[in-house]
Amino acid sequence: MENIMDTLRARGFIKQTVYEDELYELLGKESVPFYVGFDPTADSLHVGHFLVLMAMSHMQKAGHRPIVLLGGGTGMVGDPSGRTDMRKMMTPEVIRHNVEMFKKQMSRFFSFEGENAAIMVDNAEWLLGLNYIDFLREVGAHFSVNRMLTAECFKTRMEKGLSFLEFNYMLMQAYDFLVLFRKYGCRLECGGDDQWSNILAGADLIRRKEGEAAFAMTFSLLLTSEGTKMGKTAKGALWLDKDKTPPYEFYQYFRNVADADVENCLKYLTFLPLDEIAALTAEQGAALNAAKERLAYEVTKIVHGEAEADKARSEARAAFGGGGGELPTKQVDASVVKVVDLLVALKLAPSKGEARRLIEGGGIRIDDAKVEDIGAEVTAEQRAAGFVLHKGKKVHVRVVADD
């Protein structure tokens, strides 16, 4: 059987490891419990989490046991990694709600049955009841403040001032690893590359306190070919919750990724074999559209299920003349007749001013006719029969008047 590190490297997942040769040997000879932590900072996972979840899924398929750690405790503090300001403190009620939402979404990525069944735990179980003095004596004594201040996760916070609350985060995350080692024999912590300092601290704590081998491995962040984080849309983050990002919009995001990003997205976010990915991405230009459609379909199927992926693909083909399917349909009050007001009512423009700019720029069509007058109205016949409103090349909606 292929070592999972070979698989992850071939697909571009692995960014950093520690004691790499020793870890490679361990992963090649036995089932290794490993964990990734997810702080419930929102009520949905987003596409940045998607990459990490896929890496974890690959590892489980290779025989290793995933431990999903939900940060009901660490979420009370907030991770300073990559932040220029302090995170907004959430109430315990909000944190508990977000944890429950995460649990539902993650069930699509892991099997919770069988020999290497995934485990889902919440660090609120051991963090919220900690005695602070005992914690400082057991964990704090093993951390050098001087060394902590050089960690990448704190650097961006130092300019505006790092709160003592946030300074404790690294110790808490390291303690999580120690607890999971003691309870489940967890030997490996994984996560996004922005977590390297925190993950390394946990592996070091286990080696110091238990005298046992423990390892750290980070995954590449989901970036565009230009080096920016992928998953930012005009409406904000690309969420895995279909109520926050509808499956059609999710599908369309990946259907329209830049040519240079298609291959990496197929490697990271689908289970397609590498030779099939190579064949799909061998062509460039218009021929790459088939690969983009396959990418969009596969990622939507993983996140939202086959039925939603089929529906999104059908709607997209209908919108672009690819044959068959149904466009997404939205209802508006029959009294809304001006195109400017329609764009706002359908949330295709945040304001009337922006709606006017879209029309003046030639970006709006009703059925096959470009809207050229900012005072244009839809006709009574169009309202009665319904019509298709096009915004640019990517957004196409069937509009029905609601009497």
Side-chain angles (χ1 to χ4, degrees):
M1 183 181 293
E2 185 177 13
N3 191 301
I4 186 57
M5 283 188 71
D6 292 329
T7 301
L8 294 176
R9 283 203 185 283
R11 300 186 81 96
F13 281 103
I14 297 177
K15 189 71 174 181
Q16 297 188 80
T17 59
V18 65
Y19 304 109
E20 183 174 335
D21 292 342
E22 193 178 344
L23 175 60
Y24 185 88
E25 182 180 355
L26 180 67
L27 291 170
K29 69 180 182 182
E30 62 184 79
S31 176
V32 178
F34 68 98
Y35 99 90
V36 177
F38 298 85
D39 274 355
T41 54
D43 58 0
S44 172
L45 297 162
H46 54 69
V47 75
H49 297 118
F50 187 8
L51 183 149
V52 175
L53 292 167
M54 288 295 291
M56 295 176 73
S57 187
H58 279 292
M59 293 181 73
Q60 185 181 40
K61 290 176 186 294
H64 305 290
R65 189 179 195 184
I67 302 170
V68 178
L69 179 68
L70 298 172
T74 43
M76 295 281 191
V77 173
D79 183 4
S81 301
R83 302 283 298 190
T84 57
D85 57 354
M86 183 173 161
R87 293 181 186 273
K88 181 180 178 181
M89 292 182 68
M90 299 180 292
T91 66
E93 292 76 21
V94 169
I95 290 171
R96 284 194 294 270
H97 170 72
N98 292 352
V99 164
E100 290 306 311
M101 297 299 287
F102 277 25
K103 287 180 180 178
K104 292 177 184 177
Q105 292 175 359
M106 287 181 178
S107 63
R108 286 194 177 275
F109 291 87
F110 310 112
S111 170
F112 291 88
E113 299 177 355
E115 290 185 12
N116 64 329
I119 303 168
M120 190 174 286
V121 293
D122 185 340
N123 62 17
E125 176 188 335
W126 55 83
L127 289 180
L128 297 188
L130 273 177
N131 179 295
Y132 191 54
I133 298 299
D134 291 342
F135 177 70
L136 288 178
R137 287 173 64 88
E138 181 178 12
V139 178
H142 296 280
F143 282 77
S144 160
V145 171
N146 290 350
R147 185 176 177 185
M148 288 175 68
L149 290 175
T150 65
E152 196 65 36
C153 62
F154 291 140
K155 283 183 179 179
T156 53
R157 292 290 293 114
M158 294 296 288
E159 292 181 10
K160 291 190 176 181
L162 177 70
S163 72
F164 187 69
L165 176 72
E166 297 168 291
F167 194 59
N168 282 267
Y169 191 91
M170 182 183 287
L171 277 69
M172 294 170 70
Q173 185 167 331
Y175 184 65
D176 285 343
F177 197 174
L178 181 63
V179 170
L180 295 176
F181 172 82
R182 290 171 173 172
K183 290 185 70 170
Y184 303 108
C186 181
R187 295 270 183 179
L188 170 64
E189 181 181 357
C190 303
D193 196 50
D194 55 349
Q195 290 294 309
W196 177 244
S197 300
N198 291 332
I199 295 173
L200 203 57
D204 186 59
L205 180 64
I206 290 172
R207 287 176 177 260
R208 287 172 180 271
K209 285 199 65 68
E210 305 296 316
E212 295 281 352
F215 304 92
M217 181 162 65
T218 60
F219 304 127
S220 302
L221 300 179
L222 188 58
L223 304 176
T224 68
S225 55
E226 297 176 345
T228 60
K229 281 191 176 181
M230 187 173 285
K232 297 295 183 183
T233 71
K235 297 180 181 179
L238 194 67
W239 301 101
L240 304 194
D241 183 335
K242 68 178 183 179
D243 292 328
K244 294 171 78 72
T245 300
Y248 177 77
E249 291 182 18
F250 190 84
Y251 178 98
Q252 282 295 94
Y253 178 88
F254 287 101
R255 175 62 182 80
N256 293 300
V257 296
D259 291 2
D261 297 324
V262 177
E263 184 176 2
N264 277 345
C265 284
L266 283 166
K267 288 179 177 179
Y268 289 149
L269 306 179
T270 78
F271 293 110
L272 295 180
L274 291 176
D275 56 353
E276 186 173 351
I277 292 173
L280 280 168
T281 56
E283 303 293 335
Q284 296 299 314
L288 199 57
N289 285 332
K292 292 184 180 183
E293 184 178 60
R294 185 66 182 279
L295 165 66
Y297 180 80
E298 293 294 331
V299 296
T300 307
K301 182 172 70 172
I302 291 169
V303 174
H304 295 296
E306 189 170 0
E308 291 286 5
D310 287 340
K311 182 181 177 184
R313 181 172 60 185
S314 180
E315 290 174 351
R317 287 178 174 176
F320 290 95
E326 295 291 333
L327 285 172
T329 300
K330 294 189 178 183
Q331 289 187 327
V332 294
D333 192 280
S335 64
V336 181
V337 296
K338 286 192 173 183
V339 177
V340 166
D341 295 331
L342 273 171
L343 290 169
V344 175
L346 294 168
K347 298 182 179 179
L348 299 180
S351 66
K352 290 185 179 182
E354 178 60 26
R356 294 186 189 99
R357 282 190 286 274
L358 286 169
I359 293 171
E360 289 170 345
I364 302 300
R365 287 183 296 125
I366 298 292
D367 292 326
D368 293 324
K370 182 185 291 187
V371 179
E372 297 181 342
D373 180 3
I374 61 172
E377 298 181 355
V378 291
T379 66
E381 291 77 16
Q382 287 172 327
R383 294 199 301 278
F387 56 91
V388 177
L389 191 154
H390 306 267
K391 175 188 172 184
K393 295 181 179 180
K394 299 180 181 180
V395 180
H396 313 269
V397 180
R398 179 169 292 282
V399 182
V400 178
D402 184 3
D403 296 322

